[in-house]
Amino acid sequence: MKNLIFSLLIFHVTFVFSQEKTWKGINEQGQELFEIQAKQVSSFKDGMARVVKLVTMGNKIYSLEGFIDNSGRLIIEPQYDKIKGTGFVNGRAWVKKKGDKYWTLIDKRGNIIPTKNYEDVGYLFPFNKSVTAVYENRRMGFIDYNGVEVIPCKYVGASAFEEGLANVAEYDKQNYFGFINEQGEVVIPFKYKQTGTANFMKSGFARVKIGGQSALIDKAGNVVIKTSKGNIQGVSNNWIRLFTGNMLNNWGFMDFNEEFKIKPIYESLSDFDEYGHAVAEKGGLKGLIDTQGNTVLEFKYSAFSSNPQENGYYRAEYPSDYSSSKRRVDYFTTSLKKMENSQVLHIYPAEGGRLIPFSNIDKKHGYLNRNFEIAIPAIYSDSKPFNDGLALVAE
């Protein structure tokens, strides 16, 4: 979700002061398929891309958003002042026109899906195929994709269902959390404190507090493990990630027999990713360790961006050198091959695509494959990530 919000912020910042220019749709071979005129565009999501165009209303010119499909055809005319999240997800998008108080739900033809009046709505998530969060008087509920409120607005907690369940509490009883399904049925009673918005993980477990101790439960509500050895934060590699210190420090991994597999010696520690790497912190600096506890990227970085399967790389930033305005950054492939091409200045998230956008020292944009080899030369002034084999680039 953090990546989604960050991408949206970048999108808004970049188009505010620009004029319309030519954007081209290209495939992964760099062939140009169509061109459009727009002030700014997004990457394709759910077969649609947001486009910002200049629209005259009265004696004023506004930057308004609409949508094109993957053939470059303008399907929904620019008319929206705000679009929630990245746009279309599962065939629906939340939009607002200038001056609107409430959000409007639309389909891919721009047809309005009737809903109640909601001043606040949740993000649409691709893994929630049937419902999305809405809010009334700060209370959360859920509507289906036909706009019908199927779970009344009476909760606080997680705005998404993961592994089929959402961790919520009744608004007037926020000290006690439980889990509901997408039909609004209470599957695990409201009896847990301090679960916050911690949903079920891919491992099939959720973390809770029982009698002051950290615990994991399964989707039937059965206690899988309860420990006094630390505060459970996640599960990966079939191990439990936890911290044992009082100040959110001394992080490590233990197995379900409460034996430490990675000693709790780190100041912070992520879950293991799909490639068997975890970001760890030691002495105020970050590096990567593997599942044996070996250091695979040394502890010399101040910040580490690690979503390699989605982004296509690891990004490691050195501590600030206040004598220079430039940030020193290393990029690594998922197999930890370092970017050595001195012409590559920045690499941008692939958002799940096979090719990775980059810019060079001349501020031109192109694409790398996931081995950091040039796939499409840097000949563009701007570029967006590939989705379903299609990307938008500017001349």
Side-chain angles (χ1 to χ4, degrees), residues 322-387:
Y322 295 104
S323 64
S324 172
S325 60
K326 294 182 179 179
R327 292 180 178 178
R328 189 178 166 204
V329 175
D330 287 337
Y331 296 99
F332 299 89
T333 67
T334 56
S335 59
L336 305 185
K337 171 189 172 184
K338 186 178 177 181
M339 165 57 72
E340 300 289 359
N341 188 335
S342 61
Q343 297 299 303
V344 174
L345 185 62
H346 296 296
I347 300 179
Y348 306 98
E351 295 185 5
R354 291 192 298 179
L355 299 184
I356 305 170
F358 79 96
S359 60
N360 65 14
I361 57 177
D362 297 321
K363 298 183 179 179
K364 291 293 186 178
H365 290 244
Y367 295 88
L368 306 168
N369 64 25
R370 290 195 170 213
N371 290 319
F372 286 172
E373 300 162 333
I374 302 293
I376 298 176
I379 58 174
Y380 306 106
S381 65
D382 200 354
S383 63
K384 302 300 174 184
F386 273 90
N387 191 286

Side-chain angles (χ1 to χ4, degrees), residues 57 62-65 76-84 94-106 110 112:
M57 297 173 62
Y62 296 95
S63 295
L64 299 178
E65 297 190 61
I76 301 175
E77 291 287 337
Q79 57 191 291
Y80 303 116
D81 183 49
K82 293 181 180 178
I83 295 174
K84 188 77 173 183
W94 285 112
V95 297
K96 267 187 180 182
K97 292 184 178 179
K98 206 163 193 65
D100 283 356
K101 183 178 181 181
Y102 305 112
W103 286 93
T104 298
L105 189 65
I106 61 170
I112 294 174

Side-chain angles (χ1 to χ4, degrees), residues 48-97:
M48 306 283 275
R50 296 164 60 173
V51 293
V52 182
K53 293 180 72 68
L54 299 175
V55 178
T56 301
M57 297 173 62
N59 60 352
K60 293 185 178 181
I61 298 176
Y62 296 95
S63 295
L64 299 178
E65 297 190 61
F67 291 90
I68 61 171
D69 66 12
N70 53 18
S71 70
R73 192 161 51 107
L74 187 63
I75 300 298
I76 301 175
E77 291 287 337
Q79 57 191 291
Y80 303 116
D81 183 49
K82 293 181 180 178
I83 295 174
K84 188 77 173 183
T86 56
F88 277 97
V89 177
N90 297 327
R92 297 291 184 265
W94 285 112
V95 297
K96 267 187 180 182
K97 292 184 178 179

Side-chain angles (χ1 to χ4, degrees), residues 1-12 123 348-349:
M1 189 184 297
K2 289 181 180 177
N3 280 350
L4 179 151
I5 294 171
F6 178 75
S7 297
L8 181 59
L9 290 174
I10 293 297
F11 176 74
H12 278 291
Y123 290 104
Y348 306 98

